Amino acid sequence: MIKNFIKTAFRSLLKNKGFTAINILGLALGLATCLLIVFYVIDELSYDRYNTKADRIYRVNMDMKYGGNIASYAITPPPLAATLSGNFPEIEKTARLIHDQGVRIKKGNEYIQEEKVVYADSEIFGVFTLPMIAGDPKTALTEPYTAVITESTAKRYFNTTDALGKTLTLSSNANYKITGVIHDIPSQSHFKFDFFLSLAARADAKSNEWSNFSYTTYILFKPGASPKQLEGKLTGMLKNNMGSNYSRLEKSGNYFHLNLTPLTDIHLLSNRQYELGANSSITYIYIFSAIALFVLLIACINFMNMSTARSANRAKEVGVRKVLGSSRKYLIAQFLSESILVTVAAAVVAVLAAWALLPLFNQVSGKELFITAQTILWLFPSLLVIIVAVGILAGSYPAFYLSAFQPISVLKGKISTGFKGGNFRNFLVVFQFAISIFLIIGTLVIYGQLNYIQHKDLGFDRNQVLVIKNVGVIENAKTFKQEVKQLAGVANASLSGFLPTGVVRAPDGVFRNKTPDPKNALFTEVWPIDEDYLNTMGMGISKGRNFSNQLSTDSSAVIINETAARMLGFANSPLDKKIYRPTGVPNQPLKEYHVIGVVKDFNFSSLRDNISPVVMLLANDNGALSIKIHAKNLPAFVAQVEHKWNQLSPNQHFEYSFMDEDFNTAYRTEHRTGKLFLIFTTLAVLIACLGLFSLAAYAAEQRNKEIGIRKVLGASVSAIVAMLSKDFIKLVLISFAIAAPLAWLVMHKWLQGFAYRQNIQWWVIVAAGAGALAIAFVTISTQSFKAAVANPAESLKGE
């Protein structure tokens, strides 16, 4: 029986090749889109799950209210790990990491800037699953000046993974002996380091300073232990260790709180300062999962619509089958067989399409997805379930609808009441286009916000600024700066590693008076800059003046931003006001500074956050040289700067970037999300149009004789096209009325994640509706026009 169903279904599908091809194409597009999104979502959800003890690993965080600021950090005090291990029996192990920005390591005859360098406790290999190719994980980092590197790093530096006993030389002249080589860390990790250097030689690793937050601390719990119970004790433990300092903090209305984040939640649910890598957001997982579901539903709806569009052609077949004794259940089985066959063909096409498009998808999404044996193990069972589910879902309505035809009515030619009677089909069209309009509005809003970010006045000019990194390796950085300033095409240059688009930050407390009381504190960024900094960055001064190296008093002067002035209470008359900050030497009185200027607020962190206070000091910092240029031939200019670099520092690697590129990198996730949203929206609209095309064909087929009579009586082609189109246009307008407010609410909420955002413009909503209407009309009118120009004699010859 089943064999007969399949054979009959196969013949029926071959008989209607055009219908079958469009059906397979629509379902294949939906399934391929769904598969790509599933690959993306599974990759995002799999972060850090390669660790065999992932369910027992937690990171300790710190929430702070201090000096007018509320902030969340992923770092903790240095002595926390040892204190936890010694006082809480539910903890099996602890491990610390501290990411040191910009370590230069000797390779051949030059020093290479390496960003993926971290100092680590020896217990790191007992907490995380970082399998070693060579070396003993228990002892690899116990001794000072030892290092563990990844296999790709070993090949890069020594052309072999047999690197045990070899030496890494840092620019500080410290030599680190390699005691272990590990496999490369999986891409699904919240940290991706190439060098693990021993913490044993660092002075701050043994620090007992509880108010210094600098280390990332991880806990491995014993099986069965309760992280929630420990979390409730953490703040009390911190309070006991900080003693009177914490009491003063509480009395002033401030606090330090410790809490825990599960390892597997870090990538999608953590957005703290001083994360070890760029995290994503669970919001995007929800968005893309919803898109995958909607696209698949649209594809299924198309199948239903296209099958009902052929109902007139198959009505007599159903009537004859029933007259010859076929029961309704066999007819249903027959139509479902056809549906599942189409779904199988679509699934095969979808898998091949997804496989072929995966490299392009990786390029757009920034992923490294590939199909492995493990992927195949879950893919084929999942596809089997999808084929059966989609086949039954997509074929159920046509099967029950067509099998319900009465043979007498069918054979007399009375098979339907026409398009207006298809309330369920109308609902499906409204559903399809409501989703499509929703996605169109969402795409326009996302792109509008990205465009707003790219062109917003940030309070500094990031264009045409060349950043030379790690200038501190040059013995006389000021000489390098002066020689660069003499080059043609240079407007100005400044020495400072603290850049508006950079990652180097120095949060610290300053006070309104000489007493270091939290009540008088402001937690702010403290940046050492030179006298050319503000002019090079294109920053404006709203009050006072810039630094001058001609005035010796400027060594104790500061320039603050407008936010700092407001939070310090200096907004009306900030000039010559005094602020105080620690010298960094224990038991020393606070150093006094006087305010000489107020710089206009500028965005130096994500536009998702409000502008923070900044205090600028006139001090030497050779982290980077920023060069404001107006040279037209940029490659030639960079070559000139590199030549100057090599003259002054011949064995140091030259590294540079452009400030506008650094800014765009910070919003790479949003850009990629916008591109993916655009692609998936286009596919959803295309699939929806296939469904509308089929329904237009159905309507024309149902009203074939009516059209013939109208033409005989003198109706014009345009009148017939308008008649056939108006019902669909009404449905699209209803879709717009449903989707527009929903899209506005969802995108309004998404925009709330940005401190600086544009409002949703009315024209975005109108443009989305007009676009959907235009697309729908073009789709419908092709079928309507075809029906309108047909010879009426053909449709009326049987009358």
Side-chain angles (χ1 to χ4, degrees):
M1 185 65 71
I2 294 173
K3 183 180 178 183
N4 184 58
F5 284 147
I6 294 172
K7 187 185 293 185
T8 307
F10 191 70
R11 286 173 181 168
S12 176
L13 293 173
L14 283 180
K15 184 180 176 183
N16 300 278
K17 294 184 180 67
F19 158 81
T20 304
I22 293 175
N23 246 343
I24 290 173
L25 175 63
L27 272 178
L29 273 175
L31 283 170
T33 302
C34 192
L35 277 176
L36 289 173
I37 294 175
V38 166
F39 289 153
Y40 177 89
V41 169
I42 287 176
D43 183 79
E44 287 287 289
L45 294 174
S46 66
Y47 265 68
D48 295 305
R49 296 184 189 275
Y50 66 88
N51 292 284
T52 56
K53 305 167 187 173
D55 60 322
R56 295 193 282 131
I57 303 172
Y58 286 72
R59 187 186 68 194
V60 188
N61 310 308
M62 191 266 289
D63 294 332
M64 176 200 77
K65 181 183 178 185
Y66 185 78
N69 277 358
I70 296 176
S72 299
Y73 295 95
I75 49 177
T76 55
L80 175 66
T83 304
L84 289 172
S85 294
N87 294 280
F88 297 98
E90 60 262 53
I91 294 175
E92 184 175 316
K93 284 181 175 149
T94 59
R96 297 175 300 169
L97 297 174
I98 181 167
H99 184 202
D100 200 344
Q101 295 285 348
V103 175
R104 298 180 75 80
I105 300 175
K106 191 172 185 179
K107 182 184 178 186
N109 294 322
E110 67 174 1
Y111 286 90
I112 304 292
Q113 179 75 14
E114 295 285 359
E115 300 295 339
K116 296 181 178 181
V117 180
V118 71
Y119 290 86
D121 279 327
S122 58
E123 293 290 355
I124 192 72
F125 303 109
V127 174
F128 295 96
T129 303
L130 301 170
M132 282 197 171
I133 298 171
D136 183 356
K138 294 180 180 178
T139 60
L141 293 178
T142 53
E143 297 296 321
Y145 300 106
T146 54
V148 172
I149 60 177
T150 61
E151 58 179 318
S152 61
T153 304
K155 291 174 183 176
R156 185 156 52 94
Y157 272 78
F158 306 109
N159 297 318
T160 178
T161 56
D162 184 18
L164 287 186
K166 297 185 185 294
T167 302
L168 293 172
T169 303
L170 275 58
S171 57
S172 60
N173 292 323
N175 293 317
Y176 280 79
K177 180 183 175 183
I178 297 175
T179 52
V181 179
I182 61 172
H183 288 289
D184 288 346
I185 297 175
S187 58
Q188 295 88 3
S189 174
H190 78 283
F191 64 71
K192 301 175 183 69
F193 296 111
D194 292 333
F195 301 84
F196 293 83
L197 307 183
S198 172
L199 269 174
R202 286 183 65 109
D204 61 351
K206 301 179 180 69
S207 169
N208 287 317
E209 180 56 60
W210 282 87
S211 58
N212 170 27
F213 296 88
S214 53
Y215 279 77
T216 306
T217 304
Y218 297 94
I219 296 173
L220 174 64
F221 283 93
K222 290 179 180 177
S226 172
K228 205 69 181 173
Q229 287 184 2
L230 176 68
E231 189 173 41
K233 305 172 189 175
L234 288 177
T235 300
M237 180 211 63
L238 182 64
K239 183 176 180 178
N240 292 335
N241 282 282
M242 291 186 70
S244 59
N245 287 337
Y246 199 94
S247 299
R248 286 200 302 271
L249 198 71
E250 280 189 316
K251 287 177 183 176
S252 64
N254 297 304
Y255 59 76
F256 291 152
H257 290 163
L258 296 177
N259 55 64
L260 301 176
T261 296
L263 176 68
T264 52
D265 285 356
I266 291 175
H267 179 65
L268 293 175
L269 297 174
S270 181
N271 185 28
R272 295 172 172 269
Q273 296 185 47
Y274 298 99
E275 296 276 357
L276 290 178
N279 293 335
S280 185
S281 170
I282 193 69
T283 303
Y284 296 129
I285 300 302
Y286 294 145
I287 288 173
F288 288 127
S289 297
I291 290 174
L293 179 62
F294 287 150
V295 168
L296 197 56
L297 280 175
I298 288 173
C300 291
I301 289 168
N302 279 355
F303 186 88
M304 296 181 189
N305 287 339
M306 293 187 75
S307 295
T308 52
R310 292 180 61 239
S311 61
N313 291 338
R314 303 203 65 181
K316 288 182 180 178
E317 176 192 338
V318 171
V320 171
R321 282 176 177 271
K322 281 196 170 186
V323 168
L324 293 176
S326 288
S327 65
R328 189 182 181 195
K329 66 179 181 181
Y330 288 119
L331 290 171
I332 291 171
Q334 180 62 57
F335 289 122
L336 288 179
S337 299
E338 290 181 21
S339 175
I340 291 172
L341 267 180
V342 169
T343 310
V344 168
V348 172
V349 174
V351 169
L352 293 174
W355 175 72
L357 292 171
L358 203 54
L360 180 61
F361 183 77
N362 283 338
Q363 187 179 343
V364 174
S365 65
K367 289 289 183 184
E368 298 176 11
L369 305 175
F370 49 90
I371 296 174
T372 62
Q374 189 177 2
T375 308
I376 293 169
L377 283 176
W378 66 259
L379 181 60
F380 278 102
S382 302
L383 270 179
L384 187 61
V385 172
I386 289 172
I387 287 168
V388 174
V390 171
I392 292 174
L393 176 64
S396 58
Y397 176 61
F400 286 101
Y401 172 75
L402 292 173
S403 64
F405 289 163
Q406 294 299 317
I408 295 175
S409 300
V410 167
L411 297 176
K412 285 184 176 181
K414 301 174 182 179
I415 60 168
S416 178
T417 56
F419 177 76
K420 292 182 181 178
N423 291 328
F424 184 64
R425 289 191 301 278
N426 294 353
F427 165 77
L428 295 180
V429 172
V430 169
F431 181 77
Q432 279 185 312
F433 268 84
I435 293 172
S436 300
I437 292 168
F438 181 95
L439 293 176
I440 291 169
I441 293 172
T443 303
L444 290 174
V445 171
I446 289 172
Y447 265 86
Q449 176 65 12
L450 292 176
N451 187 62
Y452 173 78
I453 288 171
Q454 286 181 314
H455 297 95
K456 183 185 181 296
D457 181 8
L458 300 172
F460 66 96
D461 185 5
R462 64 183 185 272
N463 297 312
Q464 295 288 91
V465 178
L466 176 68
V467 180
I468 311 301
K469 301 178 181 180
N470 311 302
V471 181
V473 300
I474 298 179
E475 190 171 337
N476 195 335
K478 287 188 177 179
T479 301
F480 178 58
K481 171 187 169 181
Q482 293 305 321
E483 290 194 10
V484 167
K485 285 181 76 172
Q486 302 305 314
L487 295 175
V490 176
N492 213 328
S494 169
L495 277 171
S496 178
F498 291 81
L499 306 177
T501 57
V503 295
V504 179
R505 298 285 178 259
D508 200 2
V510 300
F511 300 87
R512 296 180 184 85
N513 55 42
K514 294 181 180 180
T515 306
D517 191 327
K519 288 182 179 178
N520 301 314
L522 174 69
F523 197 70
T524 178
E525 291 284 335
V526 180
W527 292 6
I529 65 170
D530 65 9
E531 68 279 4
D532 294 318
Y533 187 87
L534 300 184
N535 291 332
T536 302
M537 300 299 169
M539 296 176 179
I541 295 177
S542 60
K543 293 178 182 176
R545 64 175 177 85
N546 194 2
F547 289 122
S548 171
N549 56 8
Q550 304 299 316
L551 298 173
S552 59
T553 54
D554 277 8
S555 61
S556 61
V558 293
I559 295 174
I560 60 178
N561 70 344
E562 293 170 324
T563 297
R566 185 174 62 256
M567 295 179 75
L568 286 165
F570 301 162
N572 294 328
S573 54
L575 301 183
D576 297 324
K577 287 288 194 297
K578 302 290 190 295
I579 63 170
Y580 304 83
R581 66 183 293 257
T583 60
V585 180
N587 302 318
Q588 286 289 319
L590 303 180
K591 184 176 178 179
E592 181 182 288
Y593 293 85
H594 60 283
V595 178
I596 63 167
V598 177
V599 64
K600 292 179 181 177
D601 275 343
F602 59 94
N603 290 91
F604 58 88
S605 61
S606 171
L607 288 174
R608 292 183 178 275
D609 305 319
N610 288 308
I611 294 175
S612 302
V614 180
V615 172
M616 296 176 173
L617 312 172
L618 183 62
N620 291 328
D621 180 87
N622 300 333
L625 177 68
S626 302
I627 311 167
K628 183 68 176 179
I629 56 179
H630 48 74
K632 292 182 179 179
N633 190 341
L634 292 178
F637 178 79
V638 172
Q640 285 182 293
V641 176
E642 186 174 7
H643 179 68
K644 293 288 184 186
W645 172 282
N646 290 331
Q647 285 181 327
L648 294 170
S649 184
N651 294 323
Q652 300 291 344
H653 183 66
F654 178 74
E655 189 175 355
Y656 70 93
S657 67
F658 287 93
M659 191 171 283
D660 55 349
E661 293 175 355
D662 294 337
F663 174 82
N664 291 335
T665 299
Y667 297 95
R668 188 174 290 159
T669 299
E670 279 79 11
H671 282 286
R672 286 171 175 165
T673 304
K675 285 181 181 178
L676 289 174
F677 215 87
L678 177 62
I679 291 167
F680 294 142
T681 297
T682 304
L683 287 171
V685 172
L686 177 62
I687 296 168
C689 286
L690 282 174
L692 202 59
F693 180 85
S694 66
L695 267 192
Y698 169 78
E701 189 174 35
Q702 291 293 84
R703 303 176 75 172
N704 199 20
K705 288 185 174 64
E706 178 190 344
I707 293 168
I709 293 169
R710 287 179 179 273
K711 286 199 74 176
V712 169
L713 294 176
S716 65
V717 171
S718 58
I720 292 173
V721 169
M723 177 193 73
L724 291 172
S725 302
K726 67 178 182 180
D727 290 325
F728 293 105
I729 299 303
K730 284 178 186 176
L731 296 180
V732 175
L733 289 172
I734 293 170
S735 302
F736 175 75
I738 294 170
L742 286 174
W744 187 90
L745 285 171
V746 172
M747 297 318 299
H748 178 74
K749 186 175 181 181
W750 179 77
L751 287 171
Q752 299 310 303
F754 293 87
Y756 299 91
R757 56 186 178 270
Q758 63 172 8
N759 294 320
I760 300 176
Q761 303 295 321
W762 64 267
W763 63 263
V764 171
I765 308 294
V766 173
L773 204 60
I775 292 167
F777 182 75
V778 170
T779 304
I780 297 159
S781 61
T782 54
Q783 278 295 333
S784 300
F785 184 78
K786 180 182 174 183
V789 298
N791 187 349
E794 291 295 323
S795 59
L796 299 175
K797 65 183 179 181
E799 296 298 314

